[in-house]
Amino acid sequence: MKTASDTIVEALNGLAPRIALVLGSGLGGLVKSVENAVHVPYETLEGFPQSGVSGHAGEVVAGTIGGKPVLLLSGRVHYYEKGDAAAMRPVLEVLQGLGIEKLILTNAAGSLREDLVPGSVMLITDHINFSGTNPLIGEETDKRFVGMTSAYDAGMRAAIEQAAKAEGVAIDEGVYMWFSGPSFETPAEIRMARIMGADAVGMSTVPEVILGRFLGLSCAACSVITNYGAGMTGGELSHTETKDMAPIGGSKLQAILTRAIGEME
Ligand code: HPA
């Protein structure tokens, strides 16, 4: 059987991307930025876990953005789907094996700050792992002791900030706190997260950044804010709201990342 790597190499048709982009809930619109796109469904890729979450497409897209070769992963599997924090490890290992050096992650997130309004974009500067788990549990080599002091690459962050400025799109900065999900947080948990120094909460990205750093990839991540955290405005949260709201900030993020990727080293 053809390996996932062989199939992606075929789809790349001679391109040698160094950058990969993972698209979160409702952010599939970014696929439209890819020129000469070749779509490879996860089900044809050996070892690629399928996400069962609505709003996640489940395909690798090979092509170029702003002339730069790139691999997009539209859809990701989450810890809360099977209880496996390392669910994305085989995928990230394939990317690394293909020569990917930079990993850009995107997600939908809840805001913990009144001034970080739904529809805005937040560049993640750091994270708090509040899930109680870690994707490297069970790893047996000393490589498991991954330094996380500069998990979010300064150069990539600067490129994203610059691209936002050039596009005239506002971008905030903040700390992302990983809750396991899939239930949303309670108002008390949101108050706690604010006190603990988080700016946004979500159910993804942190395990991939830990795995990415483990694999030697430079990482950057952006959140599209889809709602205020539970209890901040009174209403009940829902996945429908996440999917409906994500494309609003998603189109801003598309403009930012399209330029940033085109200009990244
Ligand atoms: N909490 C957790 N994950 C989320 C949220 C939220 O409020 N919004 C979008 N993803």
Side-chain angles (χ1 to χ4, degrees):
M1 188 178 166
K2 246 197 269 175
T3 64
S5 180
D6 294 339
T7 308
I8 296 172
V9 166
E10 240 166 62
L12 281 167
N13 202 12
L15 296 175
R18 297 282 171 258
I19 303 177
L21 181 58
V22 178
L23 304 180
S25 286
L27 298 174
L30 273 151
V31 167
K32 292 194 212 89
S33 302
V34 182
E35 302 122 13
N36 304 314
V38 178
H39 298 254
V40 189
Y42 286 168
E43 65 237 29
T44 65
L45 295 169
E46 199 200 350
F48 271 51
Q50 284 273 111
S51 171
V53 181
S54 66
H56 281 254
E59 59 174 12
V60 173
V61 181
T64 59
I65 290 184
K68 184 150 295 177
V70 70
L71 275 178
L72 256 71
L73 274 74
S74 184
R76 58 149 68 82
V77 65
H78 305 79
Y79 167 59
Y80 62 72
E81 293 186 61
K82 295 256 165 61
D84 178 11
M88 287 293 284
R89 181 166 173 170
V91 176
L92 297 178
E93 283 174 341
V94 167
L95 296 184
Q96 187 222 26
L98 288 167
I100 295 295
E101 294 167 355
K102 290 185 163 68
L103 182 64
I104 305 176
L105 301 147
T106 65
N107 60 50
S111 168
L112 302 181
R113 279 187 359 222
E114 278 81 9
D115 67 313
L116 191 56
V117 302
S120 60
V121 178
M122 186 187 92
L123 177 64
I124 300 179
T125 54
D126 202 349
H127 75 225
I128 298 172
N129 177 358
F130 195 69
S131 68
T133 188
N134 190 296
L136 295 175
I137 289 174
E139 166 64 31
E140 291 177 344
T141 68
D142 278 357
K143 275 182 67 195
R144 65 184 143 193
F145 302 112
V146 179
M148 296 295 288
T149 310
S150 5
Y152 296 84
D153 186 77
M156 290 172 77
R157 273 161 47 195
I160 291 169
E161 296 267 15
Q162 257 167 34
K165 202 182 242 179
E167 287 291 322
V169 180
I171 191 165
D172 263 283
E173 285 191 346
V175 172
Y176 176 90
M177 191 163 185
W178 177 32
F179 280 78
S180 80
S183 56
F184 284 105
E185 301 74 26
T186 63
E189 286 165 347
I190 290 297
R191 289 194 298 275
M192 172 203 70
R194 286 168 63 132
I195 292 165
M196 286 178 142
D199 300 284
V201 289
M203 308 177 192
S204 68
T205 302
V206 167
E208 291 129 278
V209 170
I210 295 169
L211 288 165
R213 296 304 300 137
F214 171 71
L215 295 169
L217 306 176
S218 301
C219 296
C222 294
S223 294
V224 160
I225 301 298
T226 53
N227 56 280
Y228 284 115
M232 286 175 68
T233 51
E236 198 55 77
L237 305 187
S238 72
H239 186 53
T240 306
E241 178 184 44
T242 302
K243 286 188 292 184
D244 288 348
M245 287 299 293
I248 300 173
S251 58
K252 296 179 190 168
L253 188 57
Q254 183 172 346
I256 297 170
L257 291 184
T258 302
R259 183 183 281 264
I261 288 169
E263 290 174 5
M264 243 174 226
E265 291 293 299

